[in-house]
mmCIF file of all heavy atoms in Angstrom:
data_model
loop_
_atom_site.group_PDB
_atom_site.id
_atom_site.type_symbol
_atom_site.label_atom_id
_atom_site.label_comp_id
_atom_site.label_asym_id
_atom_site.label_seq_id
_atom_site.Cartn_x
_atom_site.Cartn_y
_atom_site.Cartn_z
ATOM 1 N N GLN M 299 -26.733 25.120 7.777
ATOM 2 C CA GLN M 299 -25.667 25.364 6.804
ATOM 3 C C GLN M 299 -24.661 24.223 6.811
ATOM 4 O O GLN M 299 -24.278 23.706 5.750
ATOM 5 C CB GLN M 299 -24.969 26.687 7.126
ATOM 6 C CG GLN M 299 -23.710 26.955 6.318
ATOM 7 C CD GLN M 299 -23.990 27.391 4.902
ATOM 8 O OE1 GLN M 299 -25.110 27.763 4.578
ATOM 9 N NE2 GLN M 299 -22.987 27.324 4.046
ATOM 10 N N ALA M 300 -24.204 23.815 7.995
ATOM 11 C CA ALA M 300 -23.209 22.755 8.090
ATOM 12 C C ALA M 300 -23.758 21.436 7.565
ATOM 13 O O ALA M 300 -23.059 20.685 6.870
ATOM 14 C CB ALA M 300 -22.744 22.592 9.541
ATOM 15 N N TYR M 301 -25.013 21.146 7.882
ATOM 16 C CA TYR M 301 -25.634 19.908 7.406
ATOM 17 C C TYR M 301 -25.739 19.913 5.882
ATOM 18 O O TYR M 301 -25.485 18.896 5.226
ATOM 19 C CB TYR M 301 -27.019 19.737 8.030
ATOM 20 C CG TYR M 301 -27.718 18.465 7.589
ATOM 21 C CD1 TYR M 301 -27.477 17.260 8.240
ATOM 22 C CD2 TYR M 301 -28.599 18.473 6.513
ATOM 23 C CE1 TYR M 301 -28.095 16.095 7.822
ATOM 24 C CE2 TYR M 301 -29.224 17.313 6.091
ATOM 25 C CZ TYR M 301 -28.968 16.128 6.750
ATOM 26 O OH TYR M 301 -29.580 14.964 6.337
ATOM 27 N N THR M 302 -26.094 21.061 5.320
ATOM 28 C CA THR M 302 -26.197 21.184 3.869
ATOM 29 C C THR M 302 -24.848 20.927 3.204
ATOM 30 O O THR M 302 -24.752 20.232 2.192
ATOM 31 C CB THR M 302 -26.714 22.580 3.487
ATOM 32 O OG1 THR M 302 -28.025 22.754 4.036
ATOM 33 C CG2 THR M 302 -26.760 22.756 1.982
ATOM 34 N N VAL M 303 -23.789 21.492 3.783
ATOM 35 C CA VAL M 303 -22.448 21.298 3.233
ATOM 36 C C VAL M 303 -22.029 19.831 3.336
ATOM 37 O O VAL M 303 -21.514 19.247 2.376
ATOM 38 C CB VAL M 303 -21.423 22.192 3.963
ATOM 39 C CG1 VAL M 303 -20.011 21.903 3.474
ATOM 40 C CG2 VAL M 303 -21.750 23.662 3.751
ATOM 41 N N LEU M 304 -22.254 19.231 4.501
ATOM 42 C CA LEU M 304 -21.893 17.821 4.679
ATOM 43 C C LEU M 304 -22.642 16.942 3.677
ATOM 44 O O LEU M 304 -22.079 16.009 3.094
ATOM 45 C CB LEU M 304 -22.198 17.373 6.102
ATOM 46 C CG LEU M 304 -21.705 15.963 6.475
ATOM 47 C CD1 LEU M 304 -20.184 15.938 6.528
ATOM 48 C CD2 LEU M 304 -22.280 15.525 7.825
ATOM 49 N N GLY M 305 -23.924 17.250 3.479
ATOM 50 C CA GLY M 305 -24.707 16.489 2.514
ATOM 51 C C GLY M 305 -24.148 16.598 1.109
ATOM 52 O O GLY M 305 -24.079 15.607 0.373
ATOM 53 N N ARG M 306 -23.725 17.810 0.731
ATOM 54 C CA ARG M 306 -23.167 17.993 -0.612
ATOM 55 C C ARG M 306 -21.853 17.247 -0.757
ATOM 56 O O ARG M 306 -21.579 16.650 -1.808
ATOM 57 C CB ARG M 306 -22.972 19.484 -0.882
ATOM 58 C CG ARG M 306 -22.438 19.773 -2.268
ATOM 59 C CD ARG M 306 -22.563 21.233 -2.651
ATOM 60 N NE ARG M 306 -22.002 21.459 -3.973
ATOM 61 C CZ ARG M 306 -22.023 22.626 -4.614
ATOM 62 N NH1 ARG M 306 -22.606 23.664 -4.048
ATOM 63 N NH2 ARG M 306 -21.493 22.753 -5.815
ATOM 64 N N VAL M 307 -21.034 17.264 0.295
ATOM 65 C CA VAL M 307 -19.759 16.540 0.266
ATOM 66 C C VAL M 307 -19.996 15.055 0.007
ATOM 67 O O VAL M 307 -19.364 14.440 -0.869
ATOM 68 C CB VAL M 307 -18.997 16.729 1.601
ATOM 69 C CG1 VAL M 307 -17.849 15.729 1.704
ATOM 70 C CG2 VAL M 307 -18.463 18.153 1.712
ATOM 71 N N PHE M 308 -20.920 14.458 0.741
ATOM 72 C CA PHE M 308 -21.149 13.027 0.606
ATOM 73 C C PHE M 308 -21.878 12.674 -0.695
ATOM 74 O O PHE M 308 -21.634 11.602 -1.265
ATOM 75 C CB PHE M 308 -21.895 12.492 1.824
ATOM 76 C CG PHE M 308 -20.968 12.124 2.952
ATOM 77 C CD1 PHE M 308 -20.596 13.061 3.902
ATOM 78 C CD2 PHE M 308 -20.444 10.849 3.039
ATOM 79 C CE1 PHE M 308 -19.721 12.734 4.927
ATOM 80 C CE2 PHE M 308 -19.569 10.501 4.053
ATOM 81 C CZ PHE M 308 -19.202 11.441 5.006
ATOM 82 N N ARG M 309 -22.747 13.539 -1.176
ATOM 83 C CA ARG M 309 -23.373 13.272 -2.471
ATOM 84 C C ARG M 309 -22.334 13.225 -3.582
ATOM 85 O O ARG M 309 -22.384 12.376 -4.474
ATOM 86 C CB ARG M 309 -24.431 14.334 -2.783
ATOM 87 C CG ARG M 309 -25.731 14.176 -2.031
ATOM 88 C CD ARG M 309 -26.845 14.996 -2.668
ATOM 89 N NE ARG M 309 -26.517 16.407 -2.757
ATOM 90 C CZ ARG M 309 -26.706 17.288 -1.772
ATOM 91 N NH1 ARG M 309 -27.213 16.890 -0.620
ATOM 92 N NH2 ARG M 309 -26.398 18.565 -1.947
ATOM 93 N N ASP M 310 -21.377 14.152 -3.510
ATOM 94 C CA ASP M 310 -20.318 14.166 -4.521
ATOM 95 C C ASP M 310 -19.394 12.965 -4.369
ATOM 96 O O ASP M 310 -18.880 12.432 -5.364
ATOM 97 C CB ASP M 310 -19.523 15.474 -4.423
ATOM 98 C CG ASP M 310 -20.324 16.676 -4.919
ATOM 99 O OD1 ASP M 310 -21.391 16.458 -5.532
ATOM 100 O OD2 ASP M 310 -19.890 17.814 -4.686
ATOM 101 N N ALA M 311 -19.174 12.532 -3.129
ATOM 102 C CA ALA M 311 -18.346 11.341 -2.905
ATOM 103 C C ALA M 311 -19.015 10.104 -3.499
ATOM 104 O O ALA M 311 -18.349 9.222 -4.054
ATOM 105 C CB ALA M 311 -18.100 11.148 -1.405
ATOM 106 N N VAL M 312 -20.331 10.034 -3.395
ATOM 107 C CA VAL M 312 -21.083 8.930 -4.012
ATOM 108 C C VAL M 312 -20.948 8.995 -5.528
ATOM 109 O O VAL M 312 -20.706 7.989 -6.194
ATOM 110 C CB VAL M 312 -22.574 8.992 -3.603
ATOM 111 C CG1 VAL M 312 -23.392 7.993 -4.417
ATOM 112 C CG2 VAL M 312 -22.731 8.710 -2.116
ATOM 113 N N ALA M 313 -21.104 10.197 -6.084
ATOM 114 C CA ALA M 313 -21.025 10.368 -7.539
ATOM 115 C C ALA M 313 -19.650 9.976 -8.071
ATOM 116 O O ALA M 313 -19.531 9.498 -9.208
ATOM 117 C CB ALA M 313 -21.339 11.814 -7.908
ATOM 118 N N GLU M 314 -18.615 10.165 -7.258
ATOM 119 C CA GLU M 314 -17.252 9.826 -7.678
ATOM 120 C C GLU M 314 -16.900 8.371 -7.390
ATOM 121 O O GLU M 314 -15.789 7.928 -7.706
ATOM 122 C CB GLU M 314 -16.253 10.742 -6.958
ATOM 123 C CG GLU M 314 -16.349 12.197 -7.379
ATOM 124 C CD GLU M 314 -15.405 13.083 -6.586
ATOM 125 O OE1 GLU M 314 -14.443 12.544 -6.003
ATOM 126 O OE2 GLU M 314 -15.630 14.301 -6.553
ATOM 127 N N GLY M 315 -17.819 7.628 -6.802
ATOM 128 C CA GLY M 315 -17.558 6.224 -6.525
ATOM 129 C C GLY M 315 -16.741 5.967 -5.279
ATOM 130 O O GLY M 315 -16.277 4.848 -5.055
ATOM 131 N N LYS M 316 -16.575 7.009 -4.441
ATOM 132 C CA LYS M 316 -15.817 6.822 -3.201
ATOM 133 C C LYS M 316 -16.590 5.947 -2.216
ATOM 134 O O LYS M 316 -16.015 5.150 -1.475
ATOM 135 C CB LYS M 316 -15.528 8.183 -2.560
ATOM 136 C CG LYS M 316 -14.527 9.041 -3.310
ATOM 137 C CD LYS M 316 -13.124 8.516 -3.123
ATOM 138 C CE LYS M 316 -12.089 9.445 -3.738
ATOM 139 N NZ LYS M 316 -10.712 8.909 -3.571
ATOM 140 N N ILE M 317 -17.884 6.138 -2.180
ATOM 141 C CA ILE M 317 -18.773 5.383 -1.301
ATOM 142 C C ILE M 317 -20.044 5.064 -2.083
ATOM 143 O O ILE M 317 -20.387 5.795 -3.017
ATOM 144 C CB ILE M 317 -19.134 6.165 -0.019
ATOM 145 C CG1 ILE M 317 -19.641 7.572 -0.379
ATOM 146 C CG2 ILE M 317 -17.958 6.224 0.949
ATOM 147 C CD1 ILE M 317 -20.111 8.385 0.805
ATOM 148 N N PRO M 318 -20.739 3.997 -1.717
ATOM 149 C CA PRO M 318 -21.938 3.631 -2.477
ATOM 150 C C PRO M 318 -23.179 4.418 -2.102
ATOM 151 O O PRO M 318 -24.116 4.532 -2.888
ATOM 152 C CB PRO M 318 -22.122 2.149 -2.144
ATOM 153 C CG PRO M 318 -21.499 1.989 -0.798
ATOM 154 C CD PRO M 318 -20.338 2.941 -0.769
ATOM 155 N N ASP M 319 -23.208 4.982 -0.892
ATOM 156 C CA ASP M 319 -24.421 5.664 -0.443
ATOM 157 C C ASP M 319 -24.045 6.741 0.569
ATOM 158 O O ASP M 319 -23.018 6.653 1.243
ATOM 159 C CB ASP M 319 -25.381 4.662 0.199
ATOM 160 C CG ASP M 319 -26.784 5.218 0.349
ATOM 161 O OD1 ASP M 319 -27.089 6.214 -0.321
ATOM 162 O OD2 ASP M 319 -27.560 4.671 1.150
ATOM 163 N N SER M 320 -24.889 7.765 0.675
ATOM 164 C CA SER M 320 -24.616 8.852 1.616
ATOM 165 C C SER M 320 -25.282 8.582 2.960
ATOM 166 O O SER M 320 -26.467 8.232 3.005
ATOM 167 C CB SER M 320 -25.112 10.184 1.070
ATOM 168 O OG SER M 320 -25.041 11.196 2.074
ATOM 169 N N PRO M 321 -24.559 8.783 4.062
ATOM 170 C CA PRO M 321 -25.147 8.615 5.391
ATOM 171 C C PRO M 321 -25.843 9.880 5.889
ATOM 172 O O PRO M 321 -26.394 9.903 6.985
ATOM 173 C CB PRO M 321 -23.922 8.304 6.254
ATOM 174 C CG PRO M 321 -22.833 9.121 5.625
ATOM 175 C CD PRO M 321 -23.109 9.078 4.143
ATOM 176 N N VAL M 322 -25.815 10.947 5.093
ATOM 177 C CA VAL M 322 -26.370 12.232 5.519
ATOM 178 C C VAL M 322 -27.840 12.284 5.138
ATOM 179 O O VAL M 322 -28.204 12.721 4.038
ATOM 180 C CB VAL M 322 -25.586 13.405 4.889
ATOM 181 C CG1 VAL M 322 -26.065 14.727 5.446
ATOM 182 C CG2 VAL M 322 -24.094 13.235 5.129
ATOM 183 N N ARG M 323 -28.686 11.818 6.033
ATOM 184 C CA ARG M 323 -30.119 11.769 5.738
ATOM 185 C C ARG M 323 -30.953 11.934 7.010
ATOM 186 O O ARG M 323 -31.796 11.094 7.327
ATOM 187 C CB ARG M 323 -30.479 10.474 5.005
ATOM 188 C CG ARG M 323 -29.834 9.203 5.551
ATOM 189 C CD ARG M 323 -30.303 7.995 4.754
ATOM 190 N NE ARG M 323 -29.790 6.743 5.260
ATOM 191 C CZ ARG M 323 -28.703 6.142 4.837
ATOM 192 N NH1 ARG M 323 -27.997 6.707 3.871
ATOM 193 N NH2 ARG M 323 -28.316 4.984 5.352
#
């Protein structure tokens, strides 16, 4: 559950241009 949430947070951060890529992999 926590990993899923963290992944969603970083995917949205990428979509908003906060970061270029997600480290959650």
